[in-house]
Amino acid sequence: DIQMTQSPSSLSASVGDRVTITCRASQSISSYLNWYQQRAGKAPKLLIYAASSLQSGVPSRFSGTRSGTDFILTINSLQPEDFATYYCQQSYSTPWTFGQGTKVEIK
Amino acid sequence: QVQLQESGPGLVKPSQTLSLTCTVSGGSINSGGYYWSWIRQHPGKGLEWIGYIYYSGDTYYKPSLKSRVTISVDTSKNQFSLKLTSVTAADTAVYYCARARLRSHSMIYSFDPWGQGTLVTVSS
C-alpha cells in the first residue's frame, strides 16, 4: 500500500494567516492526489483534485502544488470556516489511501 | 445534484454482520465513470477506504478487509450496500458512502460527493 504522511498533525493559526500543509507519498504517485476538508461532525468535502485543480465551488484561497512526491495544500487568508481537519488521498493505485489528517485550530 | 444517504443499524453485536445501504438520489447509479465506495472513520481517527463497486458489479476491496467485506449494488433501487462479517469492537466507526468520480482530463478518481455518515457501534 502507498503510505501518505501529512505534516504537521496539527497547527494553530489566526484568521487571516497563510497556512501550509504537506503530504508526502511513500512512492511516486504522479499527480494522483486529492485534498479534502472535514469540519467537526461532518463528512469530508473535496477541495482539490489532481494535486492542483480546484473543485468547483471551492474558494480560490485554497491551492495545491506538487514537488516530486511532496504535495502542499495552501490556505491563503484563513477564514473562520476553514478551521477543520484536512486530509490528502492518493488514487494512483488501489488500495486508495489517506493521510492521517492535519487539524487546523484557532490560535 | 447527486446526494448519498447511508442507512442501517447503529448497533451490531460482536461476531455478527454489519449491513449498511447507501441510497443515491439526483442521479443514476448506472452512470459510467463512477465507482461507488465505502469509507470508514474510527472515532477520532483518520479515513480508511474499504472498497468500491461499479454499476456492472465489479468490485475491489482493501486487502486487509477482503475476507470479511462484500459490496453489492441494486440498480433497480439506485442503492449499493456494504456487508462486513465477524465484526469486533475494532469495526466501530462512522461509515461513509461516497462516489469516486473520474476526471477525464487528469484520469484521477476523487471522492465527491459523500454521504453524511452513520455511526456503527459494535457492542454486546
Side-chain angles (χ1 to χ4, degrees):
Chain A
D1 299 5
I2 296 175
Q3 306 301 316
M4 307 301 294
T5 304
Q6 289 182 232
S7 59
S9 295
S10 65
L11 63 90
S12 296
S14 301
V15 172
D17 284 354
R18 181 171 177 263
V19 166
T20 61
I21 299 168
T22 299
C23 175
R24 176 168 291 174
S26 60
Q27 65 182 73
S28 176
I29 59 169
S30 185
S31 292
Y32 291 84
L33 190 283
N34 301 301
W35 287 101
Y36 301 87
Q37 175 194 66
Q38 186 178 33
R39 296 188 177 118
K42 301 295 185 182
K45 169 189 167 185
L46 178 65
L47 295 177
I48 287 172
Y49 63 93
S52 60
S53 296
L54 199 65
Q55 170 71 351
S56 175
V58 173
S60 59
R61 63 180 179 272
F62 291 93
S63 63
T65 58
R66 171 199 170 194
S67 177
T69 58
D70 288 349
F71 300 84
I72 296 173
L73 173 69
T74 300
I75 311 172
N76 285 304
S77 188
L78 200 66
Q79 297 300 298
E81 60 268 30
D82 300 337
F83 291 96
T85 300
Y86 294 85
Y87 293 93
C88 61
Q89 175 252 327
Q90 65 82 18
S91 55
Y92 178 79
S93 67
T94 50
W96 295 332
T97 48
F98 293 86
Q100 82 277 16
T102 295
K103 186 173 185 179
V104 177
E105 299 176 300
I106 300 174
K107 184 182 286 184
Chain B
Q1 81 221 31
V2 174
Q3 294 184 308
L4 285 70
Q5 177 69 57
E6 306 88 351
S7 59
L11 181 64
V12 181
K13 289 182 167 52
S15 80
Q16 294 192 342
T17 296
L18 178 159
S19 297
L20 296 173
T21 295
C22 182
T23 300
V24 180
S25 59
S28 174
I29 207 167
N30 280 333
S31 302
Y34 301 124
Y35 285 89
W36 303 93
S37 291
W38 286 98
I39 297 157
R40 69 180 180 179
Q41 185 169 35
H42 295 102
K45 301 296 184 183
L47 299 160
E48 177 184 28
W49 178 65
I50 298 170
Y52 65 55
I53 190 164
Y54 198 58
Y55 76 93
S56 61
D58 290 341
T59 55
Y60 180 90
Y61 305 133
K62 183 178 180 181
S64 61
L65 296 171
K66 187 176 181 179
S67 64
R68 298 194 294 131
V69 171
T70 302
I71 300 176
S72 59
V73 65
D74 186 336
T75 55
S76 67
K77 295 182 178 179
N78 228 30
Q79 295 176 334
F80 63 106
S81 298
L82 170 71
K83 289 190 186 300
L84 182 65
T85 62
S86 304
V87 297
T88 70
D91 295 308
T92 293
V94 174
Y95 287 76
Y96 294 99
C97 57
R99 183 184 70 175
R101 171 187 173 184
L102 177 66
R103 307 285 179 153
S104 55
H105 67 281
S106 56
M107 298 305 292
I108 186 172
Y109 282 95
S110 49
F111 297 114
D112 175 65
W114 297 59
Q116 66 183 29
T118 187
L119 174 63
V120 178
T121 302
V122 179
S123 175
S124 55

Coordinates of all heavy atoms in Angstrom, one line a residue, chain B residues 22-68:
Chain B
C22 N -26.5 2.4 1.0 CA -26.3 3.8 0.5 C -27.3 4.0 -0.6 O -27.3 3.3 -1.6 CB -24.9 4.0 0.1 SG -24.6 5.7 -0.5
T23 N -28.2 5.0 -0.4 CA -29.2 5.3 -1.4 C -28.7 6.6 -2.2 O -28.4 7.6 -1.5 CB -30.6 5.6 -0.8 OG1 -31.0 4.4 -0.1 CG2 -31.6 6.0 -1.8
V24 N -28.7 6.4 -3.5 CA -28.2 7.5 -4.4 C -29.4 8.3 -4.9 O -30.3 7.6 -5.5 CB -27.4 7.0 -5.5 CG1 -26.9 8.1 -6.4 CG2 -26.2 6.2 -4.9
S25 N -29.5 9.6 -4.8 CA -30.6 10.3 -5.4 C -30.0 11.5 -6.2 O -28.8 11.9 -6.0 CB -31.4 10.9 -4.3 OG -30.7 11.8 -3.4
G26 N -30.8 11.9 -7.2 CA -30.3 13.0 -8.0 C -29.5 12.5 -9.2 O -29.0 13.4 -9.9
G27 N -29.3 11.3 -9.3 CA -28.5 10.7 -10.4 C -28.6 9.2 -10.4 O -29.1 8.6 -9.5
S28 N -28.2 8.6 -11.5 CA -28.3 7.2 -11.7 C -27.0 6.5 -11.3 O -26.0 6.9 -11.7 CB -28.7 6.8 -13.1 OG -28.7 5.4 -13.3
I29 N -27.2 5.4 -10.5 CA -26.0 4.6 -10.2 C -25.5 3.9 -11.4 O -24.3 3.4 -11.3 CB -26.4 3.6 -9.0 CG1 -25.2 3.3 -8.1 CG2 -27.1 2.4 -9.5 CD1 -25.5 2.6 -6.9
N30 N -26.2 3.8 -12.4 CA -25.8 3.2 -13.7 C -24.9 4.0 -14.5 O -24.4 3.6 -15.5 CB -27.1 2.8 -14.6 CG -27.8 1.6 -14.1 OD1 -27.1 0.7 -13.5 ND2 -29.0 1.5 -14.4
S31 N -24.7 5.3 -14.1 CA -23.8 6.2 -14.9 C -22.4 5.6 -14.9 O -21.8 5.3 -13.9 CB -23.9 7.6 -14.3 OG -25.2 8.1 -14.3
G32 N -21.8 5.5 -16.1 CA -20.4 5.1 -16.2 C -19.5 6.1 -15.6 O -19.8 7.3 -15.5
G33 N -18.3 5.6 -15.3 CA -17.2 6.5 -14.8 C -17.2 6.8 -13.3 O -16.4 7.5 -12.8
Y34 N -18.1 6.1 -12.6 CA -18.1 6.3 -11.2 C -17.9 4.9 -10.5 O -18.5 3.9 -10.9 CB -19.5 6.8 -10.7 CG -19.9 8.2 -11.3 CD1 -21.0 8.3 -12.1 CD2 -19.0 9.3 -11.2 CE1 -21.4 9.6 -12.6 CE2 -19.3 10.5 -11.7 CZ -20.5 10.6 -12.4 OH -20.8 11.9 -13.0
Y35 N -17.2 5.0 -9.4 CA -17.0 3.8 -8.5 C -17.7 4.2 -7.2 O -17.3 5.1 -6.5 CB -15.6 3.4 -8.4 CG -15.0 2.8 -9.6 CD1 -14.4 3.5 -10.6 CD2 -15.0 1.4 -9.7 CE1 -13.9 2.9 -11.8 CE2 -14.5 0.7 -10.9 CZ -14.0 1.5 -11.9 OH -13.5 0.9 -13.0
W36 N -18.6 3.4 -6.8 CA -19.4 3.7 -5.6 C -18.7 3.0 -4.4 O -18.5 1.8 -4.3 CB -20.8 3.2 -5.8 CG -21.4 3.8 -7.0 CD1 -21.4 3.3 -8.2 CD2 -22.0 5.1 -7.1 NE1 -22.0 4.2 -9.1 CE2 -22.4 5.3 -8.4 CE3 -22.3 6.1 -6.1 CZ2 -23.1 6.4 -8.8 CZ3 -22.9 7.2 -6.6 CH2 -23.3 7.4 -7.9
S37 N -18.3 3.9 -3.4 CA -17.3 3.4 -2.4 C -17.9 3.5 -1.0 O -18.8 4.2 -0.7 CB -16.1 4.3 -2.5 OG -15.3 4.2 -3.6
W38 N -17.2 2.7 -0.2 CA -17.4 2.8 1.3 C -16.1 3.2 2.0 O -15.0 2.6 1.6 CB -17.9 1.4 1.8 CG -19.4 1.2 1.5 CD1 -19.8 0.4 0.5 CD2 -20.5 1.7 2.2 NE1 -21.2 0.4 0.5 CE2 -21.7 1.2 1.5 CE3 -20.7 2.5 3.3 CZ2 -23.0 1.5 1.9 CZ3 -22.0 2.8 3.6 CH2 -23.1 2.3 2.9
I39 N -16.2 4.1 2.9 CA -15.1 4.6 3.6 C -15.5 4.7 5.1 O -16.6 5.0 5.4 CB -14.7 6.0 3.1 CG1 -14.3 5.9 1.6 CG2 -13.6 6.6 4.0 CD1 -14.4 7.2 0.9
R40 N -14.6 4.3 6.0 CA -14.9 4.4 7.4 C -13.9 5.3 8.2 O -12.8 5.5 7.7 CB -15.0 3.1 8.0 CG -13.8 2.3 8.2 CD -14.1 0.9 8.8 NE -12.9 0.1 9.0 CZ -12.8 -1.1 9.6 NH1 -14.0 -1.6 10.0 NH2 -11.7 -1.8 9.7
Q41 N -14.3 5.8 9.3 CA -13.5 6.6 10.2 C -13.7 6.2 11.6 O -14.8 6.4 12.2 CB -13.9 8.1 10.0 CG -13.0 9.1 10.7 CD -13.3 10.5 10.3 OE1 -14.4 10.9 10.0 NE2 -12.2 11.3 10.2
H42 N -12.7 5.6 12.2 CA -12.7 5.2 13.6 C -12.8 6.4 14.4 O -12.3 7.5 14.0 CB -11.5 4.3 13.9 CG -11.5 3.0 13.2 ND1 -10.7 2.8 12.1 CD2 -12.2 1.9 13.4 CE1 -10.9 1.5 11.7 NE2 -11.8 1.0 12.5
P43 N -13.4 6.3 15.6 CA -13.6 7.5 16.4 C -12.3 8.3 16.7 O -11.3 7.8 17.2 CB -14.2 6.9 17.7 CG -14.9 5.7 17.3 CD -14.0 5.1 16.2
G44 N -12.4 9.6 16.3 CA -11.2 10.4 16.5 C -10.0 10.1 15.6 O -8.9 10.7 15.8
K45 N -10.2 9.3 14.6 CA -9.1 8.9 13.8 C -9.3 9.3 12.3 O -10.2 10.1 12.0 CB -9.0 7.3 13.8 CG -8.8 6.8 15.2 CD -7.4 7.2 15.8 CE -7.2 6.6 17.2 NZ -5.9 7.1 17.8
G46 N -8.4 8.8 11.5 CA -8.4 9.2 10.1 C -9.4 8.3 9.2 O -10.2 7.6 9.8
L47 N -9.3 8.5 7.9 CA -10.2 7.8 7.0 C -9.5 6.6 6.4 O -8.4 6.5 6.1 CB -10.5 8.8 5.9 CG -11.2 10.1 6.3 CD1 -11.0 11.2 5.3 CD2 -12.7 9.8 6.6
E48 N -10.4 5.5 6.3 CA -9.9 4.3 5.7 C -10.9 3.8 4.6 O -12.1 3.7 4.9 CB -9.9 3.2 6.8 CG -9.5 1.8 6.3 CD -9.6 0.7 7.4 OE1 -10.4 0.9 8.4 OE2 -8.9 -0.3 7.3
W49 N -10.3 3.7 3.4 CA -11.2 3.3 2.3 C -11.4 1.8 2.4 O -10.4 1.0 2.6 CB -10.5 3.7 1.0 CG -11.2 3.2 -0.2 CD1 -12.4 3.7 -0.7 CD2 -10.7 2.3 -1.2 NE1 -12.7 3.1 -1.9 CE2 -11.7 2.2 -2.2 CE3 -9.6 1.5 -1.3 CZ2 -11.6 1.4 -3.3 CZ3 -9.4 0.7 -2.5 CH2 -10.4 0.7 -3.4
I50 N -12.6 1.3 2.2 CA -13.0 -0.1 2.4 C -13.0 -0.8 1.0 O -12.5 -1.9 0.9 CB -14.3 -0.2 3.1 CG1 -14.2 0.3 4.5 CG2 -14.8 -1.7 3.1 CD1 -15.6 0.5 5.2
G51 N -13.6 -0.1 0.0 CA -13.7 -0.7 -1.3 C -14.7 0.0 -2.1 O -15.3 1.0 -1.7
Y52 N -14.9 -0.5 -3.4 CA -15.8 0.1 -4.3 C -16.5 -1.0 -5.1 O -16.1 -2.1 -5.2 CB -15.2 1.1 -5.2 CG -14.1 0.7 -6.1 CD1 -14.4 -0.3 -7.1 CD2 -12.9 1.2 -6.2 CE1 -13.4 -0.7 -8.0 CE2 -11.9 0.8 -7.1 CZ -12.2 -0.2 -8.0 OH -11.2 -0.6 -8.9
I53 N -17.6 -0.5 -5.7 CA -18.3 -1.3 -6.7 C -18.7 -0.5 -7.9 O -19.0 0.7 -7.8 CB -19.6 -2.0 -6.1 CG1 -20.2 -3.0 -7.1 CG2 -20.6 -0.9 -5.7 CD1 -21.2 -4.0 -6.4
Y54 N -18.6 -1.0 -9.1 CA -19.0 -0.4 -10.3 C -20.5 -0.9 -10.6 O -20.9 -1.9 -10.1 CB -18.1 -0.8 -11.5 CG -18.2 0.1 -12.7 CD1 -17.9 1.5 -12.6 CD2 -18.5 -0.4 -13.9 CE1 -17.9 2.3 -13.7 CE2 -18.5 0.4 -15.1 CZ -18.2 1.8 -14.9 OH -18.3 2.6 -16.0
Y55 N -21.2 -0.1 -11.4 CA -22.6 -0.5 -11.5 C -22.8 -1.9 -12.2 O -23.8 -2.5 -12.0 CB -23.3 0.6 -12.4 CG -23.0 0.5 -13.9 CD1 -23.8 -0.2 -14.8 CD2 -21.9 1.2 -14.4 CE1 -23.6 -0.3 -16.1 CE2 -21.6 1.2 -15.8 CZ -22.5 0.4 -16.6 OH -22.2 0.4 -17.9
S56 N -21.7 -2.3 -12.9 CA -21.8 -3.6 -13.5 C -21.6 -4.8 -12.5 O -21.8 -5.9 -12.8 CB -20.6 -3.7 -14.5 OG -19.4 -3.6 -13.9
G57 N -21.2 -4.4 -11.3 CA -21.0 -5.4 -10.2 C -19.5 -5.7 -10.0 O -19.2 -6.4 -9.0
D58 N -18.6 -5.1 -10.8 CA -17.2 -5.3 -10.5 C -16.8 -4.6 -9.2 O -17.3 -3.5 -8.9 CB -16.3 -4.6 -11.6 CG -16.4 -5.4 -12.9 OD1 -16.8 -6.6 -12.8 OD2 -16.1 -4.8 -13.9
T59 N -16.0 -5.3 -8.4 CA -15.7 -4.8 -7.0 C -14.2 -4.8 -6.8 O -13.4 -5.5 -7.5 CB -16.3 -5.6 -5.9 OG1 -15.9 -7.0 -6.1 CG2 -17.8 -5.5 -5.9
Y60 N -13.8 -4.0 -5.9 CA -12.4 -4.0 -5.3 C -12.5 -3.8 -3.8 O -13.2 -2.9 -3.4 CB -11.5 -3.0 -6.0 CG -10.1 -3.1 -5.4 CD1 -9.1 -3.9 -5.9 CD2 -9.7 -2.3 -4.2 CE1 -7.8 -4.0 -5.4 CE2 -8.5 -2.4 -3.7 CZ -7.5 -3.3 -4.3 OH -6.3 -3.4 -3.7
Y61 N -11.8 -4.6 -3.1 CA -11.8 -4.5 -1.6 C -10.4 -4.3 -1.1 O -9.4 -4.8 -1.6 CB -12.4 -5.7 -0.9 CG -13.8 -6.1 -1.4 CD1 -14.1 -7.5 -1.7 CD2 -14.8 -5.2 -1.5 CE1 -15.3 -7.8 -2.2 CE2 -16.1 -5.6 -2.0 CZ -16.3 -6.9 -2.3 OH -17.6 -7.2 -2.7
K62 N -10.3 -3.5 -0.1 CA -9.0 -3.3 0.6 C -8.5 -4.7 1.1 O -9.3 -5.4 1.7 CB -9.1 -2.4 1.8 CG -7.8 -2.1 2.5 CD -8.0 -1.1 3.6 CE -6.6 -0.9 4.3 NZ -6.7 0.1 5.4
P63 N -7.3 -5.1 0.7 CA -6.9 -6.5 1.0 C -7.0 -6.9 2.5 O -7.4 -8.0 2.7 CB -5.4 -6.4 0.6 CG -5.4 -5.4 -0.5 CD -6.3 -4.4 -0.1
S64 N -6.7 -6.0 3.4 CA -6.8 -6.3 4.8 C -8.2 -6.6 5.3 O -8.4 -7.2 6.4 CB -6.2 -5.3 5.7 OG -6.8 -4.0 5.5
L65 N -9.2 -6.2 4.5 CA -10.6 -6.4 4.9 C -11.3 -7.4 4.0 O -12.5 -7.8 4.2 CB -11.4 -5.1 4.9 CG -11.0 -4.0 5.9 CD1 -11.7 -2.7 5.6 CD2 -11.3 -4.5 7.3
K66 N -10.6 -7.8 2.9 CA -11.2 -8.5 1.8 C -12.0 -9.8 2.3 O -13.1 -10.1 1.7 CB -10.2 -8.9 0.8 CG -10.7 -9.5 -0.5 CD -9.6 -9.8 -1.5 CE -10.2 -10.4 -2.8 NZ -9.1 -10.6 -3.8
S67 N -11.4 -10.5 3.3 CA -12.1 -11.7 3.7 C -13.4 -11.5 4.4 O -14.2 -12.5 4.5 CB -11.1 -12.5 4.6 OG -10.9 -11.8 5.8
R68 N -13.7 -10.3 4.8 CA -14.9 -10.0 5.6 C -15.9 -9.1 4.9 O -17.0 -8.9 5.4 CB -14.6 -9.4 6.9 CG -13.7 -10.3 7.8 CD -13.7 -9.8 9.3 NE -13.0 -8.5 9.4 CZ -13.5 -7.5 10.0 NH1 -14.7 -7.5 10.6 NH2 -12.9 -6.3 10.2

